[in-house]
RNA sequence: GCGCCCGUAGCUCAGCUGGAUAGAGCGCCGGACUUCGAAUCCGUAGGCCGCAGGUUCGAAUCCUGCCGGGCGCGCCA
């Protein structure tokens, strides 16, 4: 908000300069206001003078001094405005401005950091979307947490969000699942049965088969149809998946079944429309999508010669349907192994006359597990992959969530089990939560001592003069903008880094300064500062779905 | 071979639309509890930001080419 005010001022002086003929409009909108790394460069800094100078062929430091002179007059905001280096204008904000942040935070409370920049834009966040063929793997776990945190950030910034899980219970995968289950069922009955070539070998298939034996005895032993096996397996597995997600505090608003696209004729309609536009043709008994016409290397099959569609056809229909459902923005969270599907879907949307810039795909890289410094081997095919549930056996939901959010989606993520299972010391999850607990505890302590926080307007916040205090206030002030940028860039990891940094500042401060001291005025100011910190820790933790415990 | 992602301290990773002397956690070593919670803190060490060019007043960040790693490249999803 303080940054916003400086931007406004800069714009104002920029246009004033244009009016006075000092420079032209050429540099409009290109300059930035940033936070310098070094305190000697002030609280904010702008490169405006250098950009003007370049376009006007003027001396940057001369332009800077003109600006500094104009801006420096604002005694409410600034202590001083300096020019430095090649032509930076550095702003030194008055302490009182920072101190007033306590008031903003405490007045807004749990609403601090929420905004309306999303303007009620309707966003559909699609994630997980794993077919119910087995328990959620650790890769799904990352995706689940990432998608949910993004959804929460979008909600916090005034978007209307729907979380959707897209699945297909009618394809080849599911048939193989049914066959695998039947094979295990027969095996349990000590009857002969061939285990399918690419079958699902996980232990969970036995569990389902055992359940079938218990409920149905051997009545299914001669069934030709795998449907009862498939249906039972699907039901059981889906229930497990939903439960796993619930443990992570993730709830979907909608489960979208691919099958319904066929029932509504939406898949056929896509083919018909592509044919109309001359973008689909028959060849070798299959139907092809002429993606070369849309800038791709090769055409793609959308209906196999067997008459079955390939995955990309329903995918296109699905995305088109999402836009038709009225969403302004489609956010998809995919694992990097699905990266190849993206261009086809976008091409399909464009071909059908839809705006594919409404689709943003977040591709996240893989997760590796390490224990005692060594990588834990995972192989999906052989079913000895680590599941989210197994992770739960070792760590709680907050640890899982935090670790999955600690890296940006683009980076591969190493999940260090040794670090994650430590209940103390190095574990960054507890480090942050401990800060929140400590802050809560300070307030309790004050109550015990019968020290109530007085009315905010009577508190002399100007007592908060320590460098540590001002730095924390600056961090608090930057929080709302952080939420906005994290949301719009779909980057929840920035919230995590912010929290770790703020926790570090606070723990350090706590160890060298008393909040509750024998100076009443100072105690009041610091109690309110502590309250502001507690609120921001709470809001920051909650906005990405982490809990904010008052004690631990 | 082609496409996408990554390459920053011993390890794991931040670094926002290019900005002024490159950061954190872990690990190592040495310290701090008669004070609001020691799940904490303080101190030291550690870097040709993969390599080479280019654009720019200014590059870890943008462009090109190499090198190394991951994921894809199917009438599988």
């Amino acid at each position: 908000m303080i940054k916003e005010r400086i931007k406004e001022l800069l714009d104002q002086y920029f246009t004033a300069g244009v009016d006075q003929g000092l420079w032209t409009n050429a540099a409009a909108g290109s300059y930035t206001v940033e936070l310098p790394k070094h305190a000697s460069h002030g609280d904010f800094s702008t490169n405006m003078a250098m950009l003007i100078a370049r376009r006007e062929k003027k001396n940057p430091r001369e332009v800077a001094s003109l600006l500094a002179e104009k801006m420096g007059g604002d005694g409410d905001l600034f202590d001083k405005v300096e020019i430095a280096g090649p032509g930076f204008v550095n702003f030194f904000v008055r302490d009182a401005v920072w101190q007033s942040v306590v008031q903003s935070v405490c007045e807004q409370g749990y609403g601090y950091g929420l905004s309306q920049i999303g303007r009620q834009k309707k966003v559909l966040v699609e994630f997980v979307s794993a077919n119910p063929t087995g328990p959620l793997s650790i890769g799904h776990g990352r995706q689940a947490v990432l998608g949910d945190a993004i959804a929460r950030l979008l909600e916090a910034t005034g978007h209307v969000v729907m979380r959707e899980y897209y699945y297909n219970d009618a394809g080849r995968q599911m048939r193989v699942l049914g066959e695998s289950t039947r094979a295990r069922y027969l095996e349990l009955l000590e009857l002969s049965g061939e285990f399918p070539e690419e079958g699902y070998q996980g232990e969970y298939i036995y569990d389902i088969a055992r359940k079938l034996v218990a409920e149905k005895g051997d009545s299914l032993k001669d069934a030709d149809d795998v449907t009862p096996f498939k249906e039972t397996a699907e039901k059981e597995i889906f229930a497990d998946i939903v439960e796993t997600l619930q443990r992570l505090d993730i709830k979907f608003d909608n489960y979208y079944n691919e099958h319904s696209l066929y029932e509504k004729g939406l898949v056929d309609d896509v083919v018909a429309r592509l044919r109309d536009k001359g973008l689909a043709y028959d060849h070798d008994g299959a139907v092809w999508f002429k993606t070369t016409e849309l800038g791709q290397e090769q055409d793609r099959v959308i209906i196999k010669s067997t008459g079955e569609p390939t995955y990309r056809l329903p995918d296109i229909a699905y995305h088109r349907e999402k836009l038709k459902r009225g969403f302004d923005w489609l956010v998809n969270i995919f694992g990097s192994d699905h990266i190849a599907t993206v261009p086809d879907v976008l091409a399909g949307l464009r071909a059908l006359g839809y705006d594919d810039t409404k689709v943003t795909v977040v591709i996240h890289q893989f997760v590796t597990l390490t224990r005692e410094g060594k990588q834990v081997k995972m192989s999906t095919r052989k079913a000895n992959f680590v599941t989210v549930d197994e992770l739960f056996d070792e760590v709680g939901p907050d640890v899982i969530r935090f670790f999955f959010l600690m890296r940006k989606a683009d980076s591969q993520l190493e999940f260090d089990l040794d670090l994650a299972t430590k209940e103390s010391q190095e574990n960054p999850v507890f480090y942050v939560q401990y800060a929140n607990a400590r802050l809560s505890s300070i307030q309790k302590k004050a109550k015990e001592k019968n020290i109530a926080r007085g009315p905010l307007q009577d508190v002399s916040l100007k007592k908060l003069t320590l460098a540590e205090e001002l730095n924390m206030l600056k961090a608090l002030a930057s929080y709302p903008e952080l939420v906005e940028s994290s949301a719009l860039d779909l980057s929840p990891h920035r919230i995590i880094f912010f929290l770790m940094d703020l926790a570090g500042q606070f723990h350090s401060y706590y160890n060298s300064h008393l909040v509750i001291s024998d100076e009443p005025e100072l105690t009041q100011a610091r109690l309110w500062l502590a309250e502001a910190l507690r609120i921001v820790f709470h809001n920051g933790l909650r906005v990405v779905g982490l809990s904010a415990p008052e004690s631990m």
Side-chain angles (χ1 to χ4, degrees), chain A residues 138 141-142 145 366-376 378 386 388 391-392 394-407 412-421 427 429:
Chain A
I138 243 164
R142 180 177 192 185
V145 167
F366 276 15
V367 178
T368 55
L369 270 182
T370 55
R371 192 193 294 280
E372 288 163 15
K374 283 183 295 189
Q375 207 180 104
V376 180
M378 286 186 282
V386 180
V388 177
L391 212 47
F392 265 119
E394 309 210 35
V395 296
D398 280 338
V399 174
I400 294 180
R401 194 177 265 267
F402 194 100
F403 273 68
F404 280 150
L405 292 177
M406 220 167 24
R407 305 289 174 235
Q412 286 182 49
L413 187 154
E414 181 173 323
F415 198 111
D416 184 343
L417 276 168
D418 300 313
L419 185 60
T421 48
N427 195 326
V429 186

Side-chain angles (χ1 to χ4, degrees), chain A residues 8-250:
Chain A
E8 280 169 28
L9 280 175
L10 268 180
D11 283 337
Q12 208 174 304
Y13 286 116
F14 178 75
T15 45
V18 174
D19 292 344
Q20 292 169 29
L22 294 172
W23 48 73
T24 67
N25 220 19
S30 60
Y31 48 85
T32 57
V33 174
E34 36 201 78
L35 288 76
K37 282 180 221 159
H38 300 278
S40 61
H41 297 143
D43 298 308
F44 295 97
S45 169
T46 183
N47 59 356
M48 185 166 146
M50 288 180 287
L51 295 178
I52 290 175
R54 179 191 300 186
R55 285 177 172 76
E56 310 286 333
K57 305 260 191 280
K58 288 180 192 286
N59 181 329
R61 288 186 63 102
E62 274 174 27
V63 177
S65 68
L66 278 174
L67 270 176
E69 204 178 307
K70 287 171 179 294
M71 305 279 289
D74 197 318
D76 287 343
L77 257 190
F78 306 123
D79 266 337
K80 56 178 174 178
V81 178
E82 291 182 347
I83 60 172
F88 288 103
V89 179
N90 295 336
F91 303 97
F92 294 78
V93 174
R94 291 184 56 213
D95 288 354
V97 176
W98 296 120
Q99 287 150 355
S100 72
V101 170
V102 170
Q103 203 163 344
S104 315
V105 175
C106 292
E107 277 167 4
Q108 292 176 56
Y110 293 154
Y112 184 72
L114 302 181
S115 76
Q116 283 302 326
I117 46 162
R119 293 193 206 146
Q120 302 303 110
K121 198 183 210 185
K122 287 182 70 183
V123 188
L124 189 146
V125 183
E126 183 212 328
F127 59 114
V128 184
S129 295
N131 285 337
T133 59
L136 293 181
S137 69
I138 243 164
H140 294 128
R142 180 177 192 185
Q143 182 166 144
V145 167
L146 186 58
D148 183 67
I150 285 171
R152 286 174 194 257
L153 280 167
L154 290 171
E155 283 167 342
T157 46
H159 298 82
V160 179
V161 177
M162 176 175 267
R163 293 167 173 78
E164 190 157 284
Y165 186 126
Y166 175 69
Y167 70 102
N168 173 24
D169 60 0
R172 192 188 67 93
Q173 281 185 23
M174 295 304 288
R175 196 170 60 241
V176 174
L177 174 71
E179 287 163 1
S180 305
T181 308
R182 175 166 61 189
R184 295 308 190 203
Y185 171 82
L186 295 173
E187 189 184 326
L188 288 173
L189 294 172
E190 295 180 3
L191 296 166
S192 65
E194 268 177 56
F195 195 77
E197 186 91 5
E198 303 245 314
Y200 294 93
Q201 300 179 34
E203 187 60 26
Y204 61 95
I205 301 287
Y206 280 107
D207 296 339
I208 297 161
R210 263 190 285 277
K211 198 174 154 102
L212 275 169
V213 172
E215 285 174 3
K216 313 260 179 174
D218 66 355
S219 65
L220 296 171
K221 70 178 184 327
D222 298 320
D224 272 343
D225 189 7
V226 295
T227 304
F229 296 100
K230 197 200 84 174
E231 283 179 351
T232 305
E234 177 187 337
K235 205 173 119 242
E236 293 291 321
I237 291 169
F238 233 133
D240 278 350
I241 288 175
V242 170
E243 197 187 320
T244 304
L245 291 168
Q246 242 162 31
R247 291 173 80 183
L248 285 169
D249 196 17
I250 295 170

Side-chain angles (χ1 to χ4, degrees), chain A residues 295-514:
Chain A
Q296 289 192 39
E297 296 269 314
Q298 49 187 306
D299 290 345
R300 300 289 185 181
V301 170
I302 49 177
I303 300 177
K304 300 186 243 177
S305 51
T306 59
E308 282 179 297
T310 62
Y311 68 89
R312 57 179 73 85
L313 176 55
D315 271 8
I316 292 167
Y318 173 50
H319 281 82
R320 175 195 187 202
E321 189 59 14
K322 288 200 268 194
L323 288 175
K324 281 167 75 181
R325 282 158 68 197
F327 290 99
D328 305 304
W329 188 14
L330 307 183
V331 174
N332 294 355
I333 320 290
F334 288 167
S336 59
D337 53 338
H338 280 61
I339 193 163
T341 71
V342 176
D344 295 338
V345 170
L346 295 184
L349 286 177
R350 252 177 300 147
L352 296 167
Y354 291 86
D355 180 2
D356 69 344
T357 62
K358 288 183 175 177
V359 182
T360 305
V361 181
V362 177
I363 300 280
H364 68 85
Q365 300 295 318
F366 276 15
V367 178
T368 55
L369 270 182
T370 55
R371 192 193 294 280
E372 288 163 15
K374 283 183 295 189
Q375 207 180 104
V376 180
K377 291 283 175 207
M378 286 186 282
S379 144
T380 357
R381 282 274 167 263
K382 294 281 175 271
N384 62 349
F385 57 95
V386 180
T387 66
V388 177
D389 285 327
E390 284 163 359
L391 212 47
F392 265 119
D393 295 339
E394 309 210 35
V395 296
D398 280 338
V399 174
I400 294 180
R401 194 177 265 267
F402 194 100
F403 273 68
F404 280 150
L405 292 177
M406 220 167 24
R407 305 289 174 235
K408 64 180 175 204
D410 280 343
S411 295
Q412 286 182 49
L413 187 154
E414 181 173 323
F415 198 111
D416 184 343
L417 276 168
D418 300 313
L419 185 60
T421 48
K422 278 183 188 161
E423 289 212 349
S424 63
Q425 307 262 318
E426 313 85 355
N427 195 326
V429 186
F430 299 115
Y431 186 78
V432 173
Q433 291 184 327
Y434 185 53
N436 186 70
R438 258 187 169 168
L439 285 159
S440 305
S441 162
I442 289 172
Q443 301 298 343
K444 274 177 224 150
K445 191 59 149 192
K447 263 179 210 153
E448 277 170 35
K449 293 190 171 183
N450 282 320
I451 304 168
R453 280 188 314 238
L456 201 43
Q457 59 271 27
D458 300 343
V459 176
S460 49
L461 294 169
K462 62 174 183 286
K463 291 277 179 188
L464 303 172
T465 54
L466 294 173
E468 296 100 302
E469 291 168 334
L470 290 165
N471 284 334
M472 287 191 288
L473 289 169
K474 289 169 191 178
L476 296 184
S478 73
Y479 176 73
E481 193 188 329
L482 173 77
V483 175
E484 288 185 3
S485 66
S486 304
L488 295 178
D489 297 342
L490 311 175
S491 301
H493 74 278
R494 284 192 215 149
I495 302 285
I496 301 291
F497 279 90
F498 170 84
L499 291 171
M500 290 199 289
D501 177 70
L502 188 61
Q505 288 192 53
F506 167 66
H507 285 310
S508 172
Y509 172 71
Y510 179 90
N511 270 274
S512 44
H513 305 285
L514 281 173

